[in-house]
Amino acid sequence: MVIGGGIAGISASIDIGNAGYEVVLVDKLPSIGGRMLQLSETFPTLDCAQCTLTPKTVETGQHARIKLLTYSEVDRVEGKAGDFLVSVRRKATYVDWEKCTGCGLCQQKCPSKNPSEFDRGMGMGKAIYTLSPQAVPNKPVINTSTCRYFKEGKCRVCEKVCPVEAIDYEQKDRFVEERVGAIIVAVGFDLLPKERIGEYGYGQIPDVIDGLSFERLNSASGPTTGEIRRPSDGKTPKEVVFIQCTGSRDPERYMPYCSRVCCMYTAKHARLYKHKVHDGQAYIFYMDIRSTGKGYEEFIQQGMEEEGILYLRGRVSRLFRDGDKVIVWGADTLTGKKIEIAADMVVLATALIPQNDTKELAGKLGIAVDDYGFLTEAERKLRPVESNVEGIYIAGCAQGPKDIADAVAHANAAASKVQGLFAQHKDA
Amino acid sequence: MKVELTRDKVHNEFTKKVELISGQNLFACYQCGNCTAGCPVSFAMEVGPHEVIRYTLLGLEEEALNVNTFWLCASCLQCTSRCPKGIDIARVMDALRMVVLRKKDRKDHIQISEFPEGFLEKVPQIAFISGFRKFLS
Amino acid sequence: MDYLYFPGCTLYTKAKNFDQTARNCSRLLGFELKELSNWTCCGATFPLATDNIMALLPPSRILASAREEGTALTTLCAVCFNVIKRTNRLIQGDGEKKDKINNFIEKNYQGDLRVVHYLEILKKDVGLAQVKEKVKRPLEGLKAGAYYGCMLLRPFDEMEFDDKERPTLFEELLEALGAKAVDFPYKIECCGSFQSVGAPEVATECAYKILGSAIKSGAEVIVSTCPMCTFNIDHKQADIKEKYLDFKQVPVLYFTQLLGIAMGLDHRTLGFDQNFVDPVPLLKQKGLI
């Protein structure tokens, strides 16, 4: 079983499936793809994230040996390596996925509009939804907290328009049991909520957004069809400040560790912004530049030289609103000056943290987490994909912040461990 | 502007004194500049608080003590409250004041005799008491 | 409900209006401020040099004598509050220093006095709902900017007063009094403090920015809880006007003066003569006096 259908989970599943073993892939979201689905372009190549991801999700969806259990969560785990019994809660989707053809009419006609979590509050979504037009599986679910029928007993438009009568409001959660020989945990990451950061406005300044929200703004499939517009008034921002290390490398008040990917994705954001807004200025407040991967350092320097991105070495002490601008009080320690910028928009590279249910899941599996909630590897250097329990492996950002290439390598390694385990006991 | 460093220079008396009086570990400062960025009076300082800490760490006593930085510090604690490394920068600023004021020549930073006419009557005691404690030796 | 009360040197003289209005209002709100029988200056700054025990003696003496007379001590001046509370925390946390101090001042204070600011009494002990009930003349239409300054809020782990980035206590009080609380970004920024003695032009600049921010956000009056801040942002408006010719003066009131108006006290007892910028024209215009 692979828990988590992001790029790590998908990569591991394909590897194991291709090796000839059956895989059950569980994901709590309605479709697979994880964080990469929310990205617009990836560093250092600036390839379109969907174009890289979709072949993989489609391959996973169509793979003969991979069974997808999406919109599902692991409820209980018993047993040991070679013989785990996992009870999986299949959450009620209120849509009969056997009947649904993925025509999308229900989504079109749904009248309920609420801030979309997938779009990080940058745009509106419907109560009945798929995460993207290329979702795998391309079947919608109903969000009961925003659906008018579930809240007020009205509407039922989706039921009326569905050509195959797939809407079923009476659906309940159900449980299925899976017997598996090994488990890979690849449940990914979340971002430190900007609502926690007092000196940056406790998330209440509309034009202060985080990195994933910027990805949604830049995405062609996003709330602004890829145009960079600021949330408060939809205007094109001309002065954009990017702040690295927001909540990272901060032992006193937030996370002490480095979130590893922010230097690269912030440079990427600044470059993508400049590609679209030629007369805009991008400022990046940084403490260091960590660009250790292949092609990364060149990517950073190219951004400075070709786009005129101004890198200011220093942190930002405070953000506050002044009229329709966001005042940024930062420092440039290379000149020793206090820098003040009246920005149109600020993008925070917030710390990568584990998902809020990772700890609970680890508890069910009996595997260890560290002080911050990331899954602990069996040995820090030599056993990076094994947990402290035989037969349970860890992959991707659930173990610690990393970029896509490293997550895939990590997942491939976990898959190879599973294959090794199975090969050892192939007579069992 | 060249500085030659040796291990004795790094662990010199001046730096040790500042660390002792302030109770702060100056090696913890990774020069992020957050203090300077949030300081309400840094606009008037010759160098920001982070820079004077840097001078102190490198044992550059003359440079560190000849700037107006710590004299302008109002002990508002904004720097301390936001430092990601938990350094109490306000204490370091005060320690630098103390290093100067406790020197043998006991030179006051402000001269009461130079106050303008009527100043002593106008300003409330609270300003004098705190001011004198920070500026007089 | 009685509280031991430490006025501090400035409240006794140059900020008498703050002291008087606080005492008058507390009676109306059901508690008494019992001035300490024996007190001296608090020292006006918490000593940041860790080897300066001498500077800790005055506030320690205050704590020790207060503890002999009761269990809860309150004050109005934010600076006194900061010094006394931080000293209290130090005594609670550092046994060695506590013994040294007790030795010097020949007392046996163990750190068990509750030190609380008048505003905290209003919010936590009396309750703002109660305060609202006692309001006779709601401050309707008055746009008041609550200026916190530094000493109430920082360091947060020792003062535990309110959120140091976005405090709301003051605004809650103003709303309870019927006024329209105006939030402004500079409400937590320093007024310059004792730099009005050391580098007066710098303090003038700080005050100018604070007042400018409040006025820009729509405040008609600034509310303060510290005689140091009030000197810098009220009395120094003369200096500001000299440097910035188009600066429009704005009255600064102690919160107890506003409290007094709201509770129906005669405005002539509120000590407006000690305020530099006369608040009477604005208050008359708003129909509050």
Side-chain angles (χ1 to χ4, degrees):
Chain A
M1 173 174 289
V2 177
I3 310 175
I7 191 60
I10 290 172
S11 304
S13 303
I14 292 174
D15 277 2
I16 301 173
N18 286 348
Y21 301 105
E22 301 290 324
V23 181
V24 178
L25 176 53
V26 179
D27 194 299
K28 69 181 181 190
L29 295 180
S31 50
I32 56 175
R35 289 288 176 207
M36 235 178 124
L37 261 182
Q38 292 177 296
L39 304 183
S40 59
E41 282 148 81
T42 55
F43 58 78
T45 50
L46 295 182
D47 289 332
C48 151
Q50 311 309 322
C51 312
T52 336
L53 181 67
T54 310
K56 289 284 174 190
T57 52
V58 167
E59 189 183 347
T60 309
Q62 293 180 342
H63 203 288
R65 293 207 175 80
I66 302 179
K67 181 164 77 171
L68 285 184
L69 297 184
T70 58
Y71 214 54
S72 306
E73 294 181 36
V74 167
D75 190 65
R76 215 178 54 251
V77 181
E78 287 164 2
K80 57 181 173 56
D83 192 19
F84 290 107
L85 185 62
V86 185
S87 172
V88 177
R89 173 197 293 270
R90 305 221 58 195
K91 298 186 290 194
T93 58
Y94 308 102
V95 177
D96 187 341
W97 281 10
E98 302 291 315
K99 291 185 186 159
C100 173
T101 60
C103 70
L105 206 53
C106 51
Q107 294 179 68
Q108 259 181 44
K109 300 293 181 191
C110 172
S112 160
K113 273 198 191 153
N114 281 281
S116 154
E117 203 184 305
F118 184 75
D119 281 336
R120 308 284 295 183
M122 294 286 102
M124 300 304 230
K126 305 285 180 102
I128 184 167
Y129 66 97
T130 54
L131 289 178
S132 95
Q134 304 100 3
V136 172
N138 196 2
K139 318 269 180 176
V141 306
I142 297 182
N143 181 350
T144 54
S145 65
T146 56
C147 167
R148 288 191 194 172
Y149 171 68
F150 282 98
K151 288 205 307 189
E152 307 152 26
K154 299 191 196 142
C155 187
R156 300 178 82 124
V157 165
C158 51
E159 192 184 37
K160 292 184 199 118
V161 302
C162 178
V164 293
E165 290 177 7
I167 307 291
D168 175 12
Y169 300 115
E170 304 309 311
Q171 234 187 53
K172 301 266 176 285
D173 290 358
R174 56 194 171 91
F175 291 84
V176 298
E177 308 259 295
E178 296 287 344
R179 211 171 203 102
V180 294
I183 301 177
I184 297 183
V185 191
V187 292
F189 69 93
D190 204 345
L191 288 182
L192 183 77
K194 62 187 196 294
E195 288 72 25
R196 273 184 59 181
I197 307 177
E199 59 264 41
Y200 294 169
Y202 283 124
Q204 306 233 310
I205 308 175
D207 293 320
V208 175
I209 62 177
D210 65 21
L212 268 180
S213 306
F214 185 85
E215 294 282 350
R216 297 313 303 144
L217 279 184
N218 193 52
S219 292
S221 58
T224 58
T225 62
E227 286 184 21
I228 310 295
R229 294 189 178 288
R230 58 188 212 150
S232 63
D233 55 12
K235 289 207 185 108
T236 307
K238 301 291 183 178
E239 310 262 357
V240 181
V241 170
F242 297 86
I243 305 177
Q244 293 184 185
C245 297
T246 301
S248 303
R249 301 184 58 187
D250 194 330
E252 181 70 9
R253 301 158 316 149
Y254 305 108
M255 303 296 137
Y257 54 81
C258 165
S259 292
R260 200 155 159 187
V261 295
C262 331
C263 286
M264 284 309 296
Y265 80 62
T266 300
K268 174 187 78 171
H269 287 171
R271 289 182 67 170
L272 293 173
Y273 164 70
K274 285 292 296 185
H275 288 170
K276 292 191 170 159
V277 184
H278 299 297
D279 60 341
Q281 178 63 49
Y283 308 88
I284 300 183
F285 280 97
Y286 73 102
M287 289 209 285
D288 293 287
I289 302 289
R290 297 185 169 174
S291 46
T292 50
K294 214 189 243 193
Y296 286 11
E297 179 65 21
E298 298 91 315
F299 183 84
I300 300 275
Q301 293 189 15
Q302 209 179 356
M304 291 186 207
E305 291 167 17
E306 290 179 12
E307 312 292 354
I309 298 165
L310 188 60
Y311 272 81
L312 296 161
R313 199 221 165 248
R315 278 185 101 111
V316 168
S317 181
R318 195 175 170 198
L319 298 174
F320 59 89
R321 234 182 158 172
D322 183 29
D324 67 342
K325 297 279 194 183
V326 181
I327 305 296
V328 179
W329 281 357
D332 176 45
T333 64
L334 298 178
T335 51
K337 307 266 184 219
K338 171 173 170 168
I339 306 282
E340 182 175 310
I341 302 178
D344 294 319
M345 192 166 84
V346 176
V347 183
L348 304 174
T350 44
L352 261 63
I353 58 175
Q355 294 256 342
N356 56 10
D357 47 6
T358 302
K359 194 166 180 187
E360 199 190 331
L361 175 64
K364 290 179 186 166
L365 292 160
I367 60 177
V369 292
D370 66 16
D371 293 334
Y372 317 108
F374 288 110
L375 302 177
T376 314
E377 55 291 306
E379 204 283 315
R380 182 65 190 82
K381 302 164 289 300
L382 303 181
R383 298 173 67 194
V385 294
E386 297 164 71
S387 74
N388 54 312
V389 173
E390 196 197 354
I392 302 184
Y393 305 96
I394 58 184
C397 287
Q399 179 262 349
K402 52 177 72 65
D403 55 34
I404 294 170
D406 285 349
V408 170
H410 211 235
N412 291 155
S416 121
K417 289 287 179 187
V418 168
Q419 292 169 57
L421 179 74
F422 285 3
Q424 274 183 324
H425 301 275
K426 62 173 182 266
D427 305 314
Chain B
M1 49 167 258
K2 183 175 91 160
V3 175
E4 277 179 22
L5 289 177
T6 61
R7 59 178 190 267
D8 290 327
K9 264 215 145 164
V10 173
H11 296 282
N12 65 85
E13 289 309 311
F14 167 62
T15 313
K16 283 196 243 181
K17 203 188 315 180
V18 174
E19 285 187 327
L20 179 70
I21 301 176
S22 65
Q24 302 303 303
N25 178 6
L26 297 183
F27 275 91
C29 172
Y30 59 14
Q31 291 288 300
C32 70
N34 211 338
C35 46
T36 303
C39 174
V41 295
S42 65
F43 67 87
M45 291 176 176
E46 286 158 2
V47 300
H50 76 278
E51 253 184 280
V52 87
I53 289 178
R54 194 73 184 155
Y55 287 146
T56 309
L57 184 65
L58 263 55
L60 304 171
E61 181 171 357
E62 216 187 296
E63 281 93 328
L65 296 183
N66 277 321
V67 291
N68 67 359
T69 307
F70 50 89
W71 294 119
L72 288 179
C73 170
S75 302
C76 78
L77 300 179
Q78 193 72 285
C79 51
T80 302
S81 73
R82 293 194 185 140
C83 175
K85 294 302 292 289
I87 302 171
D88 193 333
I89 294 129
R91 283 191 192 265
V92 180
M93 295 298 118
D94 239 41
L96 289 165
R97 275 194 268 242
M98 292 300 128
V99 165
V100 175
L101 294 173
R102 289 180 193 178
K103 283 198 168 151
K104 273 212 199 89
D105 55 359
R106 308 290 296 218
K107 188 164 151 295
D108 295 339
H109 182 68
I110 52 172
Q111 303 301 324
I112 302 176
S113 52
E114 289 172 14
F115 284 156
E117 186 78 42
F119 192 70
L120 284 167
E121 287 78 29
K122 194 175 60 157
V123 176
Q125 306 91 307
I126 190 176
F128 285 124
I129 300 166
S130 43
F132 291 167
R133 292 177 90 181
K134 301 279 178 178
F135 301 130
L136 302 184
S137 75
Chain C
M1 245 190 323
D2 280 351
Y3 297 85
L4 291 166
Y5 170 51
F6 176 76
C9 38
T10 314
L11 258 80
Y12 230 50
T13 53
K14 297 229 165 76
K16 196 97 183 98
N17 48 2
F18 197 7
D19 172 74
Q20 277 300 116
T21 46
R23 291 184 204 244
N24 296 343
C25 290
S26 63
R27 253 168 248 133
L28 293 174
L29 290 165
F31 62 97
E32 275 290 333
L33 293 179
K34 284 173 54 196
E35 187 175 328
L36 287 176
S37 48
N38 229 329
W39 59 268
T40 56
C41 173
C42 68
T45 55
F46 180 73
L48 294 178
T50 56
D51 57 356
N52 192 348
I53 308 281
M54 291 306 285
L56 288 169
L57 297 185
S60 307
R61 241 182 234 118
I62 296 167
L63 288 164
S65 5
R67 186 65 189 81
E68 284 167 5
E69 293 184 51
T71 53
L73 175 70
T74 186
T75 184
L76 286 159
C77 167
V79 180
C80 301
F81 179 57
N82 186 287
V83 174
I84 297 175
K85 188 140 194 194
R86 288 195 79 181
T87 307
N88 206 20
R89 286 258 185 269
L90 189 141
I91 290 177
Q92 288 166 355
D94 189 336
E96 205 187 310
K97 283 225 169 84
K98 173 183 74 172
D99 292 336
K100 232 184 200 168
I101 291 171
N102 275 325
N103 212 350
F104 261 90
I105 61 176
E106 295 175 337
K107 300 262 186 197
N108 188 19
Y109 176 61
Q110 294 302 318
D112 52 348
L113 181 73
R114 179 181 176 222
V115 179
V116 65
H117 190 269
Y118 195 103
L119 281 169
E120 290 180 291
I121 296 177
L122 291 186
K123 167 131 191 200
K124 294 181 197 163
D125 298 355
V126 173
L128 291 178
Q130 266 274 60
V131 174
K132 194 169 179 179
E133 261 183 49
K134 298 257 166 73
V135 170
K136 295 215 173 64
R137 203 189 293 132
L139 307 172
E140 237 156 276
L142 183 67
K143 299 203 201 90
Y147 176 63
Y148 290 80
C150 335
M151 298 286 99
L152 277 183
L153 303 171
R154 299 190 281 268
F156 174 68
D157 52 344
E158 290 179 39
M159 302 307 293
E160 293 180 315
F161 179 81
D162 199 349
D163 188 310
K164 67 175 172 75
E165 300 293 348
R166 200 180 52 189
T168 54
L169 207 165
F170 228 147
E171 281 88 353
E172 289 170 35
L173 173 65
L174 291 172
E175 299 274 324
L177 300 179
K180 173 95 178 47
V182 172
D183 198 1
F184 59 100
Y186 273 75
K187 71 183 190 186
I188 58 169
E189 298 291 329
C190 182
C191 66
S193 187
F194 49 79
Q195 292 299 346
S196 42
V197 165
E201 340 72 53
V202 175
T204 307
E205 208 43 48
C206 289
Y208 177 62
K209 288 196 195 140
I210 292 164
L211 291 167
S213 168
I215 294 169
K216 193 169 180 188
S217 302
E220 299 167 314
V221 65
I222 315 288
V223 192
S224 149
T225 175
C226 172
M228 184 78 257
C229 299
T230 298
F231 176 73
N232 280 341
I233 63 176
D234 186 14
H235 293 76
K236 274 179 81 73
Q237 287 195 32
D239 298 330
I240 297 176
K241 192 104 179 101
E242 260 176 51
K243 188 168 177 200
Y244 297 99
L245 299 163
D246 56 350
F247 174 72
K248 285 212 167 43
Q249 295 188 326
V250 59
V252 179
L253 289 176
Y254 288 112
F255 74 91
T256 47
Q257 289 176 306
L258 269 187
L259 194 57
I261 300 174
M263 308 245 116
L265 292 177
D266 184 341
H267 77 269
R268 286 163 296 189
T269 62
L270 297 176
F272 289 153
D273 52 317
Q274 281 193 306
N275 294 61
F276 176 71
V277 178
D278 191 3
V280 170
L282 173 73
L283 295 170
K284 275 210 170 106
Q285 188 212 353
K286 293 281 167 178
L288 294 170
I289 55 171

PDB file of all heavy atoms in Angstrom, chain C residues 18 52 60 85 134-135 142 167 173 184 190 216 232 246 248 260-261 275:
ATOM      1  N   PHE C  18      -3.556  62.190  35.101  1.00  0.00           N
ATOM      2  CA  PHE C  18      -3.645  60.755  34.910  1.00  0.00           C
ATOM      3  C   PHE C  18      -4.003  60.082  36.239  1.00  0.00           C
ATOM      4  O   PHE C  18      -4.922  59.276  36.360  1.00  0.00           O
ATOM      5  CB  PHE C  18      -2.291  60.256  34.382  1.00  0.00           C
ATOM      6  CG  PHE C  18      -2.292  58.893  33.750  1.00  0.00           C
ATOM      7  CD1 PHE C  18      -3.466  58.189  33.514  1.00  0.00           C
ATOM      8  CD2 PHE C  18      -1.094  58.293  33.366  1.00  0.00           C
ATOM      9  CE1 PHE C  18      -3.446  56.936  32.924  1.00  0.00           C
ATOM     10  CE2 PHE C  18      -1.068  57.046  32.765  1.00  0.00           C
ATOM     11  CZ  PHE C  18      -2.241  56.368  32.551  1.00  0.00           C
ATOM     12  N   ASN C  52      23.950  44.703  36.964  1.00  0.00           N
ATOM     13  CA  ASN C  52      23.543  45.915  37.666  1.00  0.00           C
ATOM     14  C   ASN C  52      22.479  45.612  38.713  1.00  0.00           C
ATOM     15  O   ASN C  52      21.292  45.762  38.471  1.00  0.00           O
ATOM     16  CB  ASN C  52      23.021  46.929  36.640  1.00  0.00           C
ATOM     17  CG  ASN C  52      22.858  48.301  37.233  1.00  0.00           C
ATOM     18  OD1 ASN C  52      22.922  48.485  38.442  1.00  0.00           O
ATOM     19  ND2 ASN C  52      22.625  49.276  36.368  1.00  0.00           N
ATOM     20  N   SER C  60      12.558  46.537  43.602  1.00  0.00           N
ATOM     21  CA  SER C  60      12.407  45.435  44.543  1.00  0.00           C
ATOM     22  C   SER C  60      11.842  45.920  45.853  1.00  0.00           C
ATOM     23  O   SER C  60      11.021  45.258  46.488  1.00  0.00           O
ATOM     24  CB  SER C  60      13.754  44.755  44.805  1.00  0.00           C
ATOM     25  OG  SER C  60      14.346  44.381  43.595  1.00  0.00           O
ATOM     26  N   LYS C  85       7.138  44.865  36.929  1.00  0.00           N
ATOM     27  CA  LYS C  85       6.765  43.494  36.553  1.00  0.00           C
ATOM     28  C   LYS C  85       7.996  42.677  36.169  1.00  0.00           C
ATOM     29  O   LYS C  85       8.112  41.508  36.537  1.00  0.00           O
ATOM     30  CB  LYS C  85       5.762  43.526  35.400  1.00  0.00           C
ATOM     31  CG  LYS C  85       5.197  42.172  35.083  1.00  0.00           C
ATOM     32  CD  LYS C  85       3.711  42.208  34.769  1.00  0.00           C
ATOM     33  CE  LYS C  85       3.157  40.792  34.810  1.00  0.00           C
ATOM     34  NZ  LYS C  85       1.841  40.672  34.229  1.00  0.00           N
ATOM     35  N   LYS C 134     -21.541  50.903  33.278  1.00  0.00           N
ATOM     36  CA  LYS C 134     -21.417  52.107  34.090  1.00  0.00           C
ATOM     37  C   LYS C 134     -21.256  53.372  33.245  1.00  0.00           C
ATOM     38  O   LYS C 134     -21.136  54.461  33.772  1.00  0.00           O
ATOM     39  CB  LYS C 134     -20.192  51.969  35.026  1.00  0.00           C
ATOM     40  CG  LYS C 134     -20.311  50.802  36.025  1.00  0.00           C
ATOM     41  CD  LYS C 134     -20.661  51.316  37.402  1.00  0.00           C
ATOM     42  CE  LYS C 134     -21.111  50.195  38.321  1.00  0.00           C
ATOM     43  NZ  LYS C 134     -20.009  49.339  38.763  1.00  0.00           N
ATOM     44  N   VAL C 135     -21.226  53.224  31.932  1.00  0.00           N
ATOM     45  CA  VAL C 135     -21.037  54.377  31.053  1.00  0.00           C
ATOM     46  C   VAL C 135     -22.295  55.234  31.050  1.00  0.00           C
ATOM     47  O   VAL C 135     -23.380  54.761  30.739  1.00  0.00           O
ATOM     48  CB  VAL C 135     -20.688  53.912  29.622  1.00  0.00           C
ATOM     49  CG1 VAL C 135     -20.740  55.088  28.656  1.00  0.00           C
ATOM     50  CG2 VAL C 135     -19.316  53.275  29.578  1.00  0.00           C
ATOM     51  N   LEU C 142     -16.686  59.626  18.528  1.00  0.00           N
ATOM     52  CA  LEU C 142     -15.289  60.005  18.775  1.00  0.00           C
ATOM     53  C   LEU C 142     -14.371  58.933  18.188  1.00  0.00           C
ATOM     54  O   LEU C 142     -14.445  57.766  18.563  1.00  0.00           O
ATOM     55  CB  LEU C 142     -15.041  60.142  20.278  1.00  0.00           C
ATOM     56  CG  LEU C 142     -13.640  60.611  20.672  1.00  0.00           C
ATOM     57  CD1 LEU C 142     -13.433  62.052  20.219  1.00  0.00           C
ATOM     58  CD2 LEU C 142     -13.436  60.502  22.175  1.00  0.00           C
ATOM     59  N   PRO C 167      -2.182  44.062  19.437  1.00  0.00           N
ATOM     60  CA  PRO C 167      -2.947  44.093  20.692  1.00  0.00           C
ATOM     61  C   PRO C 167      -4.328  44.690  20.459  1.00  0.00           C
ATOM     62  O   PRO C 167      -4.510  45.488  19.543  1.00  0.00           O
ATOM     63  CB  PRO C 167      -2.101  45.017  21.570  1.00  0.00           C
ATOM     64  CG  PRO C 167      -1.362  45.881  20.621  1.00  0.00           C
ATOM     65  CD  PRO C 167      -1.149  45.091  19.366  1.00  0.00           C
ATOM     66  N   LEU C 173     -11.564  48.427  25.154  1.00  0.00           N
ATOM     67  CA  LEU C 173     -12.031  49.365  26.166  1.00  0.00           C
ATOM     68  C   LEU C 173     -12.715  50.555  25.501  1.00  0.00           C
ATOM     69  O   LEU C 173     -13.799  50.976  25.913  1.00  0.00           O
ATOM     70  CB  LEU C 173     -10.847  49.849  27.027  1.00  0.00           C
ATOM     71  CG  LEU C 173     -11.190  50.960  28.023  1.00  0.00           C
ATOM     72  CD1 LEU C 173     -12.170  50.459  29.074  1.00  0.00           C
ATOM     73  CD2 LEU C 173      -9.946  51.511  28.691  1.00  0.00           C
ATOM     74  N   PHE C 184      -4.126  51.782  13.983  1.00  0.00           N
ATOM     75  CA  PHE C 184      -3.133  52.356  13.080  1.00  0.00           C
ATOM     76  C   PHE C 184      -1.809  51.623  13.254  1.00  0.00           C
ATOM     77  O   PHE C 184      -1.487  51.182  14.353  1.00  0.00           O
ATOM     78  CB  PHE C 184      -2.982  53.878  13.275  1.00  0.00           C
ATOM     79  CG  PHE C 184      -2.570  54.318  14.658  1.00  0.00           C
ATOM     80  CD1 PHE C 184      -1.254  54.656  14.921  1.00  0.00           C
ATOM     81  CD2 PHE C 184      -3.501  54.430  15.672  1.00  0.00           C
ATOM     82  CE1 PHE C 184      -0.860  55.071  16.183  1.00  0.00           C
ATOM     83  CE2 PHE C 184      -3.130  54.842  16.934  1.00  0.00           C
ATOM     84  CZ  PHE C 184      -1.801  55.160  17.195  1.00  0.00           C
ATOM     85  N   CYS C 190       7.777  52.670  19.047  1.00  0.00           N
ATOM     86  CA  CYS C 190       8.289  53.476  20.151  1.00  0.00           C
ATOM     87  C   CYS C 190       8.170  54.970  19.906  1.00  0.00           C
ATOM     88  O   CYS C 190       8.393  55.452  18.797  1.00  0.00           O
ATOM     89  CB  CYS C 190       9.752  53.111  20.373  1.00  0.00           C
ATOM     90  SG  CYS C 190      10.509  53.980  21.733  1.00  0.00           S
ATOM     91  N   LYS C 216      -3.671  59.637   9.713  1.00  0.00           N
ATOM     92  CA  LYS C 216      -3.975  59.076   8.395  1.00  0.00           C
ATOM     93  C   LYS C 216      -5.031  57.989   8.480  1.00  0.00           C
ATOM     94  O   LYS C 216      -5.841  57.812   7.586  1.00  0.00           O
ATOM     95  CB  LYS C 216      -2.687  58.515   7.789  1.00  0.00           C
ATOM     96  CG  LYS C 216      -2.781  58.189   6.317  1.00  0.00           C
ATOM     97  CD  LYS C 216      -1.413  57.899   5.732  1.00  0.00           C
ATOM     98  CE  LYS C 216      -1.572  57.585   4.236  1.00  0.00           C
ATOM     99  NZ  LYS C 216      -0.327  57.116   3.648  1.00  0.00           N
ATOM    100  N   ASN C 232       6.126  62.809  24.833  1.00  0.00           N
ATOM    101  CA  ASN C 232       6.695  62.780  23.482  1.00  0.00           C
ATOM    102  C   ASN C 232       5.680  63.058  22.387  1.00  0.00           C
ATOM    103  O   ASN C 232       6.006  63.663  21.374  1.00  0.00           O
ATOM    104  CB  ASN C 232       7.382  61.435  23.232  1.00  0.00           C
ATOM    105  CG  ASN C 232       8.755  61.373  23.859  1.00  0.00           C
ATOM    106  OD1 ASN C 232       9.346  62.392  24.170  1.00  0.00           O
ATOM    107  ND2 ASN C 232       9.271  60.165  24.051  1.00  0.00           N
ATOM    108  N   ASP C 246       3.157  72.129   8.158  1.00  0.00           N
ATOM    109  CA  ASP C 246       1.741  71.878   7.886  1.00  0.00           C
ATOM    110  C   ASP C 246       1.167  70.798   8.809  1.00  0.00           C
ATOM    111  O   ASP C 246       0.123  70.234   8.554  1.00  0.00           O
ATOM    112  CB  ASP C 246       1.545  71.478   6.416  1.00  0.00           C
ATOM    113  CG  ASP C 246       2.395  70.274   6.053  1.00  0.00           C
ATOM    114  OD1 ASP C 246       3.261  69.886   6.875  1.00  0.00           O
ATOM    115  OD2 ASP C 246       2.212  69.714   4.967  1.00  0.00           O
ATOM    116  N   LYS C 248      -0.901  69.293  11.639  1.00  0.00           N
ATOM    117  CA  LYS C 248      -2.085  69.724  12.387  1.00  0.00           C
ATOM    118  C   LYS C 248      -2.089  69.027  13.729  1.00  0.00           C
ATOM    119  O   LYS C 248      -2.029  67.802  13.807  1.00  0.00           O
ATOM    120  CB  LYS C 248      -3.353  69.331  11.604  1.00  0.00           C
ATOM    121  CG  LYS C 248      -3.623  70.185  10.415  1.00  0.00           C
ATOM    122  CD  LYS C 248      -5.144  70.325  10.155  1.00  0.00           C
ATOM    123  CE  LYS C 248      -5.457  71.420   9.177  1.00  0.00           C
ATOM    124  NZ  LYS C 248      -4.563  71.470   8.003  1.00  0.00           N
ATOM    125  N   GLY C 260     -13.181  58.971  32.361  1.00  0.00           N
ATOM    126  CA  GLY C 260     -13.890  59.934  33.201  1.00  0.00           C
ATOM    127  C   GLY C 260     -15.050  60.586  32.482  1.00  0.00           C
ATOM    128  O   GLY C 260     -16.157  60.699  33.023  1.00  0.00           O
ATOM    129  N   ILE C 261     -14.814  60.999  31.242  1.00  0.00           N
ATOM    130  CA  ILE C 261     -15.894  61.611  30.463  1.00  0.00           C
ATOM    131  C   ILE C 261     -17.040  60.628  30.314  1.00  0.00           C
ATOM    132  O   ILE C 261     -18.213  60.954  30.542  1.00  0.00           O
ATOM    133  CB  ILE C 261     -15.411  62.035  29.066  1.00  0.00           C
ATOM    134  CG1 ILE C 261     -14.289  63.056  29.168  1.00  0.00           C
ATOM    135  CG2 ILE C 261     -16.561  62.600  28.248  1.00  0.00           C
ATOM    136  CD1 ILE C 261     -13.674  63.394  27.840  1.00  0.00           C
ATOM    137  N   ASN C 275      -2.871  68.831  29.800  1.00  0.00           N
ATOM    138  CA  ASN C 275      -2.634  68.359  28.430  1.00  0.00           C
ATOM    139  C   ASN C 275      -2.091  69.516  27.613  1.00  0.00           C
ATOM    140  O   ASN C 275      -2.561  70.648  27.732  1.00  0.00           O
ATOM    141  CB  ASN C 275      -3.939  67.869  27.785  1.00  0.00           C
ATOM    142  CG  ASN C 275      -4.487  66.640  28.474  1.00  0.00           C
ATOM    143  OD1 ASN C 275      -4.797  66.679  29.646  1.00  0.00           O
ATOM    144  ND2 ASN C 275      -4.626  65.558  27.736  1.00  0.00           N
TER     145      ASN C 275
END
